[in-house]
């Protein structure tokens, strides 16, 4: 065995490197938000309240109960972004590494699936954070989600397609006849 030559697994991880990096950025995003919330929760919440206050009369009609409801839901979206970033980023990374461990998929399949998982892993939690930030200024989370569909739908779609692809590829690997290493 030539020590200078990387293993097949290492080569396959390298093929999916963009997905790996994006997944790790998603984990960093989730952990970073958690740390920021721990250190600056009141600053975040004050910023949300200020956004709602700017449109108190025009969007909320002075309804304090509605403002409080939107602020509470907006903060829950911030927490959702934190949890999704860490959780989905980790899941995507595991799927990409599992994909790298398989023998059969082509480099193109590995690259496309890995990239899709990484983009989805980062895009989806960013969607939740942006929706949480936008909600107080538009009067609710429904309007914020609608305005950001362009990010949510492709991100979730890439994650689901990536999961389905890896599931199929793993099933093929596990249930196909064993490959004879001697080629005979």
């Amino acid at each position: 065995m030539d020590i200078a030559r990387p293993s097949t697994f290492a080569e396959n991880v390298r093929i999916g490197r963009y997905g790996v990096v994006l997944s790790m950025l998603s984990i960093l995003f989730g952990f970073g938000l958690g740390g920021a919330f721990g250190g600056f929760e009141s600053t975040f919440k004050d910023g949300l309240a200020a956004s709602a206050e700017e449109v108190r009369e025009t969007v909320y009609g002075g309804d304090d109960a509605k403002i409080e409801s939107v602020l509470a839901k907006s903060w829950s979206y911030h927490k959702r972004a934190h949890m999704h970033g860490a959780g989905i980023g980790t899941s995507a990374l595991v799927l990409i590494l599992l994909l790298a461990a398989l023998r059969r998929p082509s480099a193109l399949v590995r690259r496309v699936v890995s990239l899709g998982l990484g983009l989805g892993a980062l895009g989806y939690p960013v969607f939740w954070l942006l929706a949480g930030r936008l909600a107080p200024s538009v009067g609710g989370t429904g309007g914020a989600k609608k305005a950001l569909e362009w990010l949510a739908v492709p991100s979730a779609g890439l994650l689901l397609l990536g999961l389905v692809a890896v599931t199929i590829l793993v099933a093929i690997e596990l249930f196909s006849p064993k490959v004879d290493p001697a080629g005979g």
Side-chain angles (χ1 to χ4, degrees):
M1 174 184 233
D2 183 9
I3 294 179
R5 179 161 166 46
S7 70
T8 302
F9 179 75
E11 290 170 351
N12 291 341
V13 171
R14 185 163 172 74
I15 289 168
R17 66 187 171 269
Y18 297 114
V20 168
V21 169
L22 289 167
S23 296
M24 292 178 70
L25 287 173
S26 178
I27 297 167
L28 180 62
F29 176 79
F31 286 11
L33 278 180
F37 296 163
F40 306 101
E41 180 176 339
S42 61
T43 304
F44 279 96
K45 288 183 172 180
D46 290 347
L48 296 174
S51 294
E53 193 59 40
E54 289 176 7
V55 294
R56 168 182 285 284
E57 297 305 321
T58 57
V59 173
Y60 295 99
D63 186 345
D64 288 335
K66 182 162 185 182
I67 290 172
E68 289 305 315
S69 174
V70 170
L71 290 175
K73 187 75 170 187
S74 179
W75 182 243
S76 74
Y77 278 23
H78 281 68
K79 293 184 287 186
R80 193 174 291 179
H82 151 63
M83 302 280 242
H84 278 75
I88 293 175
T90 301
S91 298
L93 182 59
V94 168
L95 289 169
I96 292 167
L97 294 176
L98 181 58
L99 181 62
L102 302 178
R103 295 172 292 160
R104 287 179 173 85
S106 68
L108 178 62
V109 168
R110 290 178 202 279
R111 188 172 293 114
V112 168
V113 172
S114 296
L115 182 60
L117 284 166
L119 286 169
L122 188 56
Y124 198 64
V126 167
F127 156 74
W128 285 112
L129 180 66
L130 294 176
R133 300 296 304 161
L134 183 60
S137 64
V138 298
T141 53
K145 288 191 297 187
K146 185 74 174 156
L148 294 165
E149 271 183 352
W150 62 268
L151 179 58
V153 172
S155 296
L158 287 170
L159 287 167
L160 289 172
L161 288 172
L163 174 59
V164 168
V166 174
T167 301
I168 290 168
L169 293 167
V170 166
I172 290 169
E173 183 82 21
L174 296 178
F175 297 103
S176 291
K178 190 173 179 181
V179 176
D180 182 4

